[in-house]
């Protein structure tokens, strides 16, 4: 649904987006992460036809963002961080206006407005002025305007800003449900939100895409190997001999030994079925497993590691060029 190839954007002498390429298929919620000034918002603005690219190409639902802008805008819903709202309008008046702008009239417009009121939880504020609403409810109105024409692609920039915990849970659930039918790109600085909502993550830094994959895939890449922890009721000699036979085990570390159980950490190549192999081995040798878990690296740690590495590399390159 979204195809980006070598996308580049210059602001005068500043390179904001540096030959970025990625795809987002239908039915995927993509988390788009990066520090301030990394190029996230610029990329999203190019995809919405708000600004032109300096180079490369991008297609949304099969339409080119530089030559088929009207088609792209029909297929896309966009919620920027500061929702574009008319504060002096009532909620119902604003939604009627947006429906009209999108080309809907009469019963068709009313059906879409009614659906958005239910979807975004606006029933209690429908006849209030937008200027009277809390920031959380304004975000809901902004989300309703992005969804009212039932777009196939949604670009959401910090969609849960200002919401209380209950509202955040509701919006996350809504985004996940929308992702079953639509392509959703979610830009946020709230890393737990990405872990709870997104199928895949992309990290951009200094205009370059520095990582892409599921949180588990990024964790494995960031660490270089997978750490498995297990506690087993078996003789240490038998346990170590059996574990060394498993495909993909790089190292075995004895962490704790007690009379009735032994705890190990395993460094593995990251094969997805390593836990299954351990379970089968335990069954065959009549061991009792009391712990079996894969050590995880938090998305926050991955994000900091990747963006710090890139920043250090960029600084070093600049110093080398200056010398």
């Amino acid at each position: 649904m979204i195809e980006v190839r070598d996308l580049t954007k210059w602001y005068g002498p500043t390179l904001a987006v540096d030959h970025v390429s990625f795809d987002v298929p239908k039915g995927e919620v993509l988390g788009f992460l990066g520090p301030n000034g990394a190029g996230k918002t610029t990329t999203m603005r190019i995809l919405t036809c708000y600004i032109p690219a300096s180079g490369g190409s991008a297609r949304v639902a099969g339409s080119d963002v530089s030559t088929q802008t009207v088609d792209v805008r029909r297929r896309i819903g966009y919620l920027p961080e500061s929702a574009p709202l008319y504060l002096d309008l009532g909620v119902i008046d604003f939604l009627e206006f947006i429906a009209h702008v999108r080309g809907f009239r009469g019963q068709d417009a009313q059906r879409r407005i009614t659906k958005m009121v239910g979807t975004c939880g606006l029933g209690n504020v429908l006849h209030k002025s937008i200027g009277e609403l809390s920031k959380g409810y304004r975000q809901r109105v902004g989300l309703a305007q992005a969804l009212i024409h039932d777009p196939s692609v949604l670009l959401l920039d910090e969609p849960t800003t200002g919401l209380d915990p209950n509202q955040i849970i509701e919006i996350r659930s809504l985004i996940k449900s929308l992702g079953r039918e639509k392509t959703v790109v979610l830009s946020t600085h709230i890393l737990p939100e990405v872990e709870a909502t997104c199928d895949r993550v992309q990290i951009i830094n200094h205009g370059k895409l520095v990582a892409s994959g599921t949180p588990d895939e990024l964790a494995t890449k960031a660490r270089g190997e997978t750490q498995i922890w297990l506690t087993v009721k078996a003789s240490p000699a038998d346990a170590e001999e059996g574990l060394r036979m498993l495909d993909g085990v790089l190292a075995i570390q004895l962490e704790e030994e007690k009379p009735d159980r032994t705890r190990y950490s395993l460094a593995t190549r990251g094969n997805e079925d390593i836990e299954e192999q351990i379970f089968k081995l335990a069954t065959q040798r009549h061991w009792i497993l009391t712990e079996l878990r894969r050590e995880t690296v938090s998305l926050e740690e991955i994000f900091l590691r990747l963006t710090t590495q890139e920043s250090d590399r960029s600084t070093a390159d600049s110093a080398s060029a200056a010398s």
Side-chain angles (χ1 to χ4, degrees):
M1 291 298 285
I2 297 178
E3 304 169 20
V4 176
R5 297 290 179 271
D6 289 322
L7 198 66
T8 304
K9 180 62 180 178
W10 289 89
Y11 290 110
T14 302
L15 183 58
V17 178
D18 187 359
H19 296 88
V20 166
S21 298
F22 62 89
D23 295 310
V24 191
K26 181 179 179 180
E28 180 173 87
V29 180
L30 174 70
F32 201 40
L33 301 180
N36 290 334
K40 304 187 305 297
T41 298
T42 296
T43 301
M44 295 179 82
R45 286 178 174 175
I46 293 171
L47 292 177
T48 59
C49 307
Y50 183 74
I51 59 174
S54 303
S57 65
R59 301 181 73 85
V60 175
S63 298
D64 191 287
V65 299
S66 61
T67 61
Q68 298 170 293
T69 59
V70 174
D71 289 338
V72 171
R73 288 166 176 161
R74 286 194 182 116
R75 290 169 171 80
I76 211 164
Y78 180 42
L79 177 62
E81 184 174 358
S82 299
L85 305 173
Y86 294 107
L87 301 184
D88 55 339
L89 285 181
V91 173
I92 185 65
D93 300 318
F94 177 74
L95 294 179
E96 288 174 349
F97 167 70
I98 294 296
H100 184 84
V101 168
R102 287 292 184 180
F104 303 110
R105 303 289 187 273
Q107 291 300 313
D108 194 13
Q110 288 307 311
R111 279 194 297 270
R112 291 180 179 271
I113 291 169
T114 300
K115 183 177 180 180
M116 288 303 98
V117 169
T119 298
C120 299
L122 296 171
N124 294 332
V125 298
L126 200 56
H127 298 288
K128 287 188 176 182
S129 166
I130 293 175
E132 299 176 53
L133 303 182
S134 66
K135 189 172 183 180
Y137 269 108
R138 292 183 190 181
Q139 284 294 100
R140 290 175 179 234
V141 175
L143 189 58
Q145 68 81 25
L147 288 169
I148 200 166
H149 57 300
D150 192 24
S152 55
V153 176
L154 270 176
L155 300 182
L156 308 175
D157 197 354
E158 305 283 354
T160 59
T161 298
L163 303 185
D164 64 38
N166 288 332
Q167 293 169 338
I168 288 173
I169 292 171
E170 292 171 2
I171 295 299
R172 286 178 181 173
S173 177
L174 173 59
I175 292 170
K176 284 192 75 70
S177 66
L178 290 170
R180 299 189 192 108
E181 308 172 347
K182 304 178 186 298
T183 299
V184 182
V185 178
L186 170 66
S187 174
T188 180
H189 292 95
I190 305 172
L191 298 179
E193 184 165 286
V194 173
E195 293 177 307
T197 308
C198 300
D199 304 309
R200 191 163 56 92
V201 179
Q202 281 188 172
I203 300 177
I204 188 171
N205 194 37
H206 294 297
K208 294 182 178 181
L209 202 62
V210 297
S212 179
T214 67
D216 285 345
E217 289 170 346
L218 293 183
T220 300
K221 292 176 184 176
R223 188 172 46 238
E225 59 188 37
T226 297
Q227 199 81 6
I228 299 291
W229 294 85
L230 73 148
T231 302
V232 60
K233 290 185 177 181
S235 74
D238 186 40
E240 290 189 25
E241 188 267 336
L243 292 170
R244 290 187 190 282
M245 293 172 56
L246 296 179
D247 180 44
V249 173
L250 303 175
I252 300 174
Q253 178 68 41
L254 176 64
E255 299 292 341
E256 184 179 27
E257 185 175 358
K258 293 184 177 180
D260 62 335
R261 69 192 64 197
T262 311
R263 189 166 191 254
Y264 297 95
S265 63
L266 309 182
T268 77
R269 291 197 194 96
N271 22 338
E272 292 298 321
D273 66 343
I274 189 66
E275 290 97 330
E276 183 179 340
Q277 289 187 54
I278 293 171
F279 184 78
K280 287 180 178 178
L281 178 66
T283 302
Q284 291 166 0
R285 299 204 174 198
H286 306 289
W287 302 343
I288 297 175
L289 282 175
T290 59
E291 177 192 20
L292 179 59
R293 66 180 176 85
R294 182 183 294 252
E295 184 182 80
T296 58
V297 177
S298 71
L299 187 58
E300 180 177 11
E301 183 180 345
I302 297 166
F303 177 81
L304 289 173
R305 189 179 303 179
L306 288 171
T307 54
T308 301
Q309 286 174 351
E310 289 297 317
S311 296
D312 291 345
R313 188 176 298 121
S314 177
T315 301
D317 290 345
S318 297
S320 176
S323 63

